[in-house]
Structures are given as C-alpha cells and as structure tokens.
C-alpha cells in the first residue's frame, strides 16, 4: 500500500465556541503567506466553517466525516491532498470526544497529532486540569499540545501556562481581540462572502499566531492510499480510479443556485457531479431573472430567511423555476432550497414574504433548532447519507414519499417530498456516499 508524507495538524477543543475555526484559519493564512501550499479539511457536515477556511488557505475545503463518507473516502481525500500539500490542517467538530464517531476517533485512526484549543477566559491554572483531562482521557490519542485562546494579557497567559503539567506541550496563547473575532449567527459563523474585512481579520490573526510561536511546521504524517472497505454499514468507496460509470450524467447540464441565500454546497458533491459527466452552471435566485439553459436544477440550502424581500421581489425567477418543473425536468431542493419553493416564509420577526409557490405550504423560522444530526435518505435512486440542521418548520398538505432514517435514534427522519421530477427535503445529501443515487436526482 503506497504512502505519502506531509506535515499535518488536527485542531480540536474541549467544546464548541472555543475558537477552533479562528486558530485553524489563522494557521492556514500564516503558512500560505510563507509560500506554502496548505490544504484544510473540516470534520463533520459543516458548510460555514469551510467557507472561512477556503478563504484563509486559497484552496477548496472538503469535509472529513467517517459516518457520511466512510474511512476509505476520508483516506482518499487526504492521500490526494498530500501529493501537493506542504501542510494539511483539519478542524474538528464540537468537543474532541463528542459524537460517534468523534474528532478523536478520526485523529487517532489517521494518526494525526491534535492541537487542543482551550478558551482560557475566566480561568487560570485550571486550564492545566482541562489540558490534563484531554491528554489522559484516551492515552492512545496523539496529542501535539494545548493552546490557550482569549487570554487577557501576559500575566494571564503566564498563569495559564503555569497550570499545564509536565509532559503536555504548551503551544502558545492568543489574546482577546475584536479585530480577529469571526462573527456568527443562528446557524454558525457568518458566511465568508458577507464579512467585508475577512482578509484583514485573517491576516491579523496569522500575525498574532506567528508571534505566539505557531509558525513552525507540525510533525509529518504518513498518508496511505485507501483500500476497498469490508466494514459493515460503511458507504461504498468511489475514490480515485475506482470503476464506475463516469458517464452517468454525460451531457447533462445542471443549473446550481449559488449566492448569499443559497450557498450550502459540499465541494465533494460538485466534484462528483462533474466526475459523472455533468456540466455545472451557476445562477443567483437573488439577481438573475431566468435560469441558464439546463436539464436539471439543484437548489441547495442557505439563508433564504435573510434575503426574503429580494427573493420575493424576483418573480421572474419564480416563473422560470415553475416552467422548469412544469416541463417535467428534474429539480432537487435541500433545506433552504425547499423553503424557497413554498408559498411563503415568515422570519423570526414575523415578516412574511411570498416565495416561488411551486410547492403548496408555508414555512416559519423558529428561535430554537428544529432538526439536527446525521441521517440516511431513501431517495429515488437509492440510500444517500447526509445530515440535517435547520431552525424552521413547514406546514404543507403534501404527503411525504419517504422519510429519512436517523443515524442515532428510532424516530422518523426528515420528510422527503416528491412532485413529478421535483424532490424536496430538509435533508442535505452527501453525494460521495452513493454517487449512483445522486446521479438519479439529476438525470432527465
């Protein structure tokens, strides 16, 4: 089994909101500014962090998710990256040991050293106890060191470092600074395209990290080529040169919505559509008055609730989508894309907007999270793995053609609605888990 060696670091934390994305993005920008090719990955099904990380590194960011894609898929992505990268960074999800599988599971499986970012605000030597717990909880975990985020100053940093026991590497600290903080909202970080001074924030954070001593390269890791999996329940591996019909979507032109309202797209999904022969063209439901010439349409998730007036005012695009559906052409809509197809959407302030009206029903944004977690969806072409994450609810007379299956739990997953060749659901599909089924969504 062939191997490739590349320095790599897995950035994790004891919990969410510790500053993982800020530190990972700052590391990427720091090393990229030194002329290094930096490839960054995000653990789990997140859409928003990768937007920041892509801007920081200058390269597309892919998800590493052992449940959605399987071990061999994750290995294939890293093996390919190691061919040209000078440095590989992986940002974890939630806390280091949270979830099944967890960030720790992935780091240990791949042998990648972990940098634990700990928010040191409102603590001093107790920082060392948390560091000790992370280091000792699973002895087999390769820990690179711990990093103190949001310290108040030099004296605070000294106290924090003082509490770290011998044998645990203290990798440095970063002071609280509004100039490098990444803004967030109800689904996570604000989209990269909406942060006007993002590059300035990333450059400033990179400079701070260089001063903190994180400019040195982490240890090299050996990445091996994947093998076909025999693990029960793991998605099939379609990486590299594995045989499958590369013309399943040959000659099919897919129009994909991509703008401020619709941006939740996995880079791997786009790659696989192209690998199956599709030609991808992009359009904006916010700004365009018509669809580009296309055989199929893909409406991904995003933030339609933040663009209600613009979407409602663009009646020409609503009519164009209606003509597409009436012609019997395929349309696949996920989460925010599905909301856009309904008659109306009401935001958390009670403002209601008329939307495309292609599907009967109304949606309303809620203050609390309404759906979260990994699911499998029985789509028309087969079972696809993915996840759900939304703050809205819908009322519709449509009867679901199927429901997703939760990875953990026995209650029904997200409803899947069908209307001719239109498929709409809250579920976000990860196409590498079953490219054949994904192709069926868009094949005329």
């Amino acid at each position: 089994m062939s191997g490739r060696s590349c320095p790599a670091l897995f950035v994790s934390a004891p919990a969410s909101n510790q500053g993982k994305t800020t530190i990972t993005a700052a590391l990427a920008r720091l090393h990229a500014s030194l002329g290094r090719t930096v490839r960054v990955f995000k653990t789990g099904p997140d859409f928003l962090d990768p937007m920041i990380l892509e801007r920081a590194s200058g390269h597309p960011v892919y998800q590493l998710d052992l449940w959605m894609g399987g071990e061999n898929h994750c290995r294939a992505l890293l093996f390919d990256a190691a061919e040209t990268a000078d440095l590989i960074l992986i940002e974890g999800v939630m806390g280091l040991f949270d979830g099944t599988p967890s960030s720790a599971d992935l780091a240990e499986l791949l042998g990648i050293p972990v940098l634990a970012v700990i928010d040191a605000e409102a603590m001093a030597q107790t920082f060392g106890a948390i560091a000790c717990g992370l280091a000792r909880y699973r002895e087999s975990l390769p820990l690179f060191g711990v990093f103190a985020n949001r310290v108040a100053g030099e004296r605070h940093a000294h106290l924090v470092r003082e509490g770290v026991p011998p044998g645990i590497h203290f990798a440095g600290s970063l002071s609280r600074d509004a100039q490098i903080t990444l803004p967030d909202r109800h689904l996570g970080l604000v989209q990269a395209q909406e942060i006007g001074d993002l590059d300035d924030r990333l450059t400033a954070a990179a400079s701070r990290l260089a001063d903190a001593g994180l400019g040195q390269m982490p240890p090299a890791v050996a990445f091996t080529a994947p093998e076909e999996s025999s693990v029960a329940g793991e998605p099939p591996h379609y990486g590299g040169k594995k045989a499958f019909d590369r013309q399943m979507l040959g000659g099919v032109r897919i129009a994909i919505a991509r703008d401020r309202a619709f941006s939740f797209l996995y880079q791997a999904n786009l790659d696989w559509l192209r690998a199956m022969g599709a030609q991808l063209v992009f359009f904006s439901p916010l700004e365009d008055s018509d669809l580009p010439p296309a055989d199929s349409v893909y409406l991904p998730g995003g933030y339609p609730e933040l663009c209600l007036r613009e979407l409602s005012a663009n009646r020409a695009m609503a009519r164009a989508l209606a003509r597409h559906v009436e012609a019997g052409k395929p349309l696949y809509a996920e989460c925010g894309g599905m909301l856009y197809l309904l008659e109306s959407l009401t935001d958390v302030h009670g403002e209601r907007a008329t939307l495309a009206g292609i599907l009967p029903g109304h949606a309303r944004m809620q203050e609390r999270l309404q759906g979260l977690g990994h699911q499998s969806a029985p789509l028309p072409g087969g079972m696809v793995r993915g996840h759900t994450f939304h703050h809205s609810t819908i009322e519709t007379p449509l009867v679901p053609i199927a429901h997703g299956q939760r990875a953990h739990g026995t209650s029904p997953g997200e409803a899947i609605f069908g209307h001719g060749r239109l498929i709409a659901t809250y579920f976000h599909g990860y196409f590498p888990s079953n490219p054949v089924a994904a192709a069926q969504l868009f094949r005329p």
Side-chain angles (χ1 to χ4, degrees), residues 100-135:
T100 306
S102 66
S103 293
D105 294 330
L106 182 62
E108 185 174 350
L109 179 70
L110 301 172
I112 300 176
V114 174
L115 175 68
V117 176
I118 304 173
D119 185 349
E121 191 169 13
M123 70 171 75
Q125 290 90 344
T126 300
F127 179 97
I130 297 174
C132 186
L134 293 175

Side-chain angles (χ1 to χ4, degrees), residues 260 285-287 306-315:
R260 288 182 294 111
L286 291 173
E287 299 179 0
L306 302 181
C307 306
L308 285 181
R309 294 184 182 181
E310 295 164 272
L311 290 172
S312 182
N314 193 354
R315 304 316 304 166

Side-chain angles (χ1 to χ4, degrees), residues 91-104:
E91 183 194 343
V93 61
M94 300 188 297
L96 178 57
F97 299 102
D98 294 332
T100 306
S102 66
S103 293

Side-chain angles (χ1 to χ4, degrees), residues 252-257 281 283 285 291-300 317 320-321 324-325 329-333 341 421-423 441-442:
V252 176
R253 188 176 169 93
I254 304 174
I256 303 177
V281 293
F283 71 99
L291 290 169
D295 303 296
S296 305
V297 169
Y298 182 8
L299 292 178
M317 178 55 69
L321 287 168
H324 179 92
V325 173
K329 295 181 178 182
L331 189 156
Y332 175 58
L341 296 178
R421 288 303 310 278
L422 188 161
I423 299 294
L441 294 170
F442 303 102

Side-chain angles (χ1 to χ4, degrees), residues 114-313:
V114 174
L115 175 68
V117 176
I118 304 173
D119 185 349
E121 191 169 13
M123 70 171 75
Q125 290 90 344
T126 300
F127 179 97
I130 297 174
C132 186
L134 293 175
R136 306 287 185 257
Y137 185 78
R138 188 186 295 181
E139 295 289 347
S140 56
L141 183 74
L143 185 71
F144 173 78
V146 294
F147 186 87
N149 194 27
R150 302 182 185 125
V151 299
E154 291 185 11
R155 173 60 179 162
H156 185 200
H158 174 76
L159 292 173
V160 165
R161 182 169 188 166
E162 190 177 62
V164 178
I168 298 178
H169 172 53
F170 183 80
S173 61
L174 191 65
S175 297
R176 292 195 300 265
D177 189 343
Q179 292 184 342
I180 65 174
T181 301
L182 299 174
D184 59 8
R185 57 163 67 106
H186 59 282
L187 290 181
L189 292 177
V190 172
Q191 299 178 99
Q193 61 185 308
E194 298 180 63
I195 307 174
D197 63 347
L198 178 58
D199 284 311
D200 292 338
R201 291 173 186 260
L202 293 173
T203 299
S207 177
R208 308 283 199 283
L209 281 193
D211 294 339
L214 271 182
Q216 60 186 341
M217 295 288 276
V221 174
F223 295 97
T224 56
E227 294 180 342
E228 284 302 314
S229 175
S230 59
V231 179
E234 180 174 302
H237 171 54
Y238 291 90
K241 301 295 183 182
K242 301 300 177 184
F244 74 102
D245 184 356
R246 292 185 177 272
Q247 288 303 309
M248 283 187 285
L249 291 174
V252 176
R253 188 176 169 93
I254 304 174
I256 303 177
R258 186 166 65 179
D259 56 20
R260 288 182 294 111
F262 305 99
S263 60
F264 291 0
L265 286 162
Y266 291 127
Q267 182 64 43
N269 282 8
L270 303 182
D271 287 356
W272 277 102
L273 292 176
R274 291 190 179 102
M276 292 185 287
Q279 180 183 359
L280 308 185
V281 293
F282 297 91
F283 71 99
S284 170
L286 291 173
E287 299 179 0
D288 295 334
S289 59
D290 201 355
L291 290 169
D295 303 296
S296 305
V297 169
Y298 182 8
L299 292 178
Y303 284 112
E305 66 270 22
L306 302 181
C307 306
L308 285 181
R309 294 184 182 181
E310 295 164 272
L311 290 172
S312 182

